[in-house]
Amino acid sequence: MLQNNQKKESKDRDFLYPKMPAGRLYTYRKWVSYGLLLLLFSCPFLKLNGEQWVLLNFIERKFVFFGLIFTPQDFYLFALAMLIFIIFIVCFTVVLGRLWCGWACPQTIFMEMVFRRIEFWMEGDKQKQIKLNAQPWNMDKILKKSTKHFLFLVISFAIANTFLAYLIGSEKLFSIITEPVHQHVSGFISIWLFTFLFYAVFAYVREVVCTVICPYGRLQGVLLDNQSLIVAYDVNRGEPRGKMQKQNVAEAKGDCIDCGLCVQVCPTGIDIRKGTQLECVNCTACIDACDEVMLKINRPERLIGFYNQDYISQQKPFKIGAKAYGYAAVLVMVCMVFSALIYKRSSIETTVLRASGTLYQNRGSNQTSNLYNAELINKTNKTVKFEFRAKDQHDQIEFIQAANVLPKDGSAQITFFLIRDNRQIKEYKSDAAFEVVVDGKVLSQASTSFFAPPDNE
């Protein structure tokens, strides 16, 4: 199904100069992009429950998603969330092809809706850009090029700061920006390192990220099937193509007049008429360009459109295949499990372990004790005053190292003896359960084993 776009090898890379796209789909795409950009730039700076919307602090091992704080103890939830994301991408691709790349991928949105539009604004459309690059350096060229790259650097700087806000937190980023540089040398270096990295990607690497670096395009060959919707050329309707001339209009059998606009607007430089290719990001620019030509020559729109392979080859109408339903069913089940785990997740993580290398302790003839270490982890951003107690009212706790306050995002260590009446001991190994109570509510529970010889009476 996939065909590689054959290009002549060259020692020097030929930069692409796509024509400025326009059309109904491009307008929809702009509004989708603006909404996603607004979300991307706002998430690290908006607060919910005292925390920024999204935080991925790998250094301090703290992760926040829309008010919920996750710690390393919640790694199983993180792994499950990644599994959901992967299954969603697979399911999405099976049904809608590589639409994510053209409409929602940050690389494409920034490249086509921000940096490329600045380029069109400063240097003009395709032919003007080619002419400007070919002409010798003069004041006009220096002014346009320097202004363009200055704006590229400014936007890259903004992206770098936003990216760091996701990684280290907006408050720490604000401190790096406002306080003297010598207090945050590593943070200052990081900001400029990411600035130049993003500048290099969007000013020079560009579409190579999509066509070579990103592995998602390679996955199309595995994920797509004959029912997948993709941006495709209706070869049955368009061929044989030929230039349209007034004196021999009747000779043209296909609707394609070989104008080449679909190639000129493509941000990755492919010819969609050669079939589905790895480089196609489903940006739909070729659909708008072709529709405009079809209207001018009084032919139906969508010579290029969203089609599946069955429609192109056999004119079968679109329907979702069994594989997509299978992936969707798995996705729903995993999401249900994830939601249940989130619902049951406690705001305080409690772990109780018997002190290593210790046996039970006889306390006279009526009682026996075991020594335990407990760790309590606060998963909220508030200081919590708590009570640690045994769940069984017959059990007693004697604290050696006590604590009743959990700092926000912190932990507390407790060492204690659990004392049990010998008459309650019926077997050598029994269960011991504990509760963490905050404001009269049990927020966390933990259990472990209690070892003692059973009462012989």
Side-chain angles (χ1 to χ4, degrees):
M1 185 175 177
L2 295 175
Q3 298 178 7
N4 289 323
N5 185 29
Q6 300 296 331
K7 297 181 180 179
K8 293 182 179 179
E9 295 185 359
S10 173
K11 293 182 180 180
D12 298 324
R13 175 187 163 200
D14 293 328
F15 277 82
L16 296 177
Y17 299 96
K19 183 177 176 62
M20 184 174 182
R24 186 167 60 248
L25 290 175
Y26 183 70
T27 301
Y28 295 154
R29 194 166 143 234
K30 280 194 299 185
W31 287 110
V32 171
S33 299
Y34 296 154
L36 292 174
L37 286 172
L38 179 63
L39 182 65
L40 179 69
F41 280 104
S42 60
C43 277
F45 303 102
L46 295 179
K47 300 281 187 177
L48 181 64
N49 297 332
E51 294 286 346
Q52 65 186 56
W53 279 15
V54 179
L55 174 67
L56 303 171
N57 193 332
F58 292 93
I59 299 175
E60 298 180 0
R61 298 179 297 174
K62 178 182 177 181
F63 307 92
V64 181
F65 294 94
F66 302 102
L68 291 175
I69 301 174
F70 297 90
T71 63
Q73 287 73 25
D74 298 314
F75 180 78
Y76 67 98
L77 291 174
F78 177 78
L80 197 57
M82 290 298 99
L83 180 61
I84 290 174
F85 177 74
I86 293 172
I87 298 174
F88 172 77
I89 290 293
V90 170
C91 187
F92 185 90
T93 305
V94 167
V95 179
L96 297 174
R98 207 177 173 182
L99 192 66
W100 159 271
C101 296
W103 286 66
C105 176
Q107 164 67 24
T108 305
I109 290 176
F110 278 116
M111 186 67 250
E112 302 303 323
M113 296 300 172
V114 180
F115 289 89
R116 193 86 76 183
R117 289 177 67 83
I118 290 174
E119 203 163 56
F120 287 136
W121 175 47
M122 293 302 306
E123 299 181 359
D125 208 348
K126 176 183 177 72
Q127 296 302 324
K128 290 183 178 180
Q129 291 182 29
I130 295 175
K131 183 179 178 181
L132 180 67
N133 288 337
Q135 74 182 38
W137 287 95
N138 53 30
M139 187 56 65
D140 178 62
K141 184 174 181 177
I142 292 174
L143 181 62
K144 288 182 178 180
K145 290 290 185 182
S146 59
T147 304
K148 181 187 79 170
H149 286 281
F150 173 74
L151 292 175
F152 281 8
L153 274 171
V154 170
I155 297 173
S156 298
F157 181 77
I159 298 173
N161 280 271
T162 305
F163 180 73
L164 281 176
Y166 278 102
L167 297 181
I168 63 175
S170 55
E171 294 180 357
K172 190 168 184 179
L173 175 67
F174 185 74
S175 299
I176 294 174
I177 295 174
T178 56
E179 295 177 1
V181 175
H182 69 271
Q183 296 182 14
H184 305 280
V185 175
S186 59
F188 181 79
I189 294 174
S190 298
I191 290 176
W192 284 108
L193 180 64
F194 283 116
T195 296
F196 288 116
L197 176 63
F198 287 120
Y199 170 76
V201 168
F202 294 114
Y204 298 103
V205 182
R206 300 190 163 208
E207 74 282 348
V208 175
V209 173
C210 303
T211 60
V212 178
I213 299 174
C214 180
Y216 184 42
R218 303 298 188 271
L219 290 176
Q220 286 189 97
V222 178
L223 300 178
L224 296 182
D225 58 25
N226 290 340
Q227 283 79 41
S228 302
L229 278 180
I230 55 175
V231 174
Y233 167 69
D234 189 349
V235 62
N236 296 316
R237 177 185 154 194
E239 299 296 327
R241 72 185 79 151
K243 297 292 184 180
M244 190 174 211
Q245 299 178 3
K246 293 182 179 180
Q247 59 271 24
N248 58 357
V249 173
E251 295 181 5
K253 296 180 180 180
D255 284 353
C256 179
I257 61 173
D258 205 16
C259 63
L261 283 178
C262 58
V263 181
Q264 295 179 36
V265 297
C266 180
T268 58
I270 67 169
D271 187 345
I272 194 65
R273 296 170 297 179
K274 295 181 179 179
T276 305
Q277 296 151 73
L278 296 175
E279 295 84 355
C280 179
V281 294
N282 284 18
C283 68
T284 67
C286 55
I287 297 179
D288 281 329
C290 189
D291 282 351
E292 183 181 357
V293 174
M294 291 298 105
L295 288 174
K296 289 180 180 178
I297 64 175
N298 296 320
R299 301 287 174 83
E301 295 181 340
R302 294 299 188 265
L303 176 60
I304 301 174
F306 280 105
Y307 301 120
N308 57 22
Q309 192 64 24
D310 281 349
Y311 176 83
I312 296 296
S313 59
Q314 305 173 32
Q315 297 299 304
K316 289 184 178 180
F318 169 73
K319 67 174 182 179
I320 300 177
K323 186 165 67 172
Y325 282 114
Y327 286 133
V330 174
L331 179 63
V332 170
M333 288 189 292
V334 177
C335 285
M336 291 176 63
V337 173
F338 182 76
S339 300
L341 291 174
I342 289 291
Y343 178 76
K344 292 182 178 180
R345 174 181 176 270
S346 62
S347 57
I348 297 176
E349 181 83 16
T350 305
T351 305
V352 179
L353 298 173
R354 291 183 72 253
S356 60
T358 62
L359 300 174
Y360 60 87
Q361 300 85 36
N362 291 318
R363 293 180 173 246
S365 59
N366 298 324
Q367 293 179 323
T368 305
S369 65
N370 279 194
L371 181 63
Y372 296 93
N373 294 315
E375 181 181 24
L376 283 70
I377 299 175
N378 187 0
K379 296 181 181 180
T380 70
N381 60 352
K382 298 179 181 179
T383 299
V384 177
K385 189 174 183 180
F386 68 93
E387 176 190 358
F388 185 85
R389 68 189 187 191
K391 192 173 183 179
D392 191 334
Q393 296 180 354
H394 295 97
D395 292 340
Q396 303 175 38
I397 290 181
E398 179 182 306
F399 290 102
I400 298 175
Q401 179 184 352
N404 64 351
V405 175
L406 266 176
K408 66 176 183 177
D409 302 331
S411 62
Q413 308 290 332
I414 299 175
T415 303
F416 63 94
F417 286 105
L418 178 66
I419 305 172
R420 183 169 287 181
D421 193 296
N422 289 341
R423 290 173 297 180
Q424 303 295 325
I425 303 173
K426 303 301 180 182
E427 52 187 352
Y428 185 77
K429 179 182 178 182
S430 57
D431 293 332
F434 306 92
E435 297 176 333
V436 177
V437 182
V438 178
D439 296 330
K441 296 181 180 179
V442 178
L443 293 189
S444 181
Q445 298 184 31
S447 61
T448 185
S449 299
F450 185 89
F451 292 91
D455 184 46
N456 294 322
E457 294 183 3

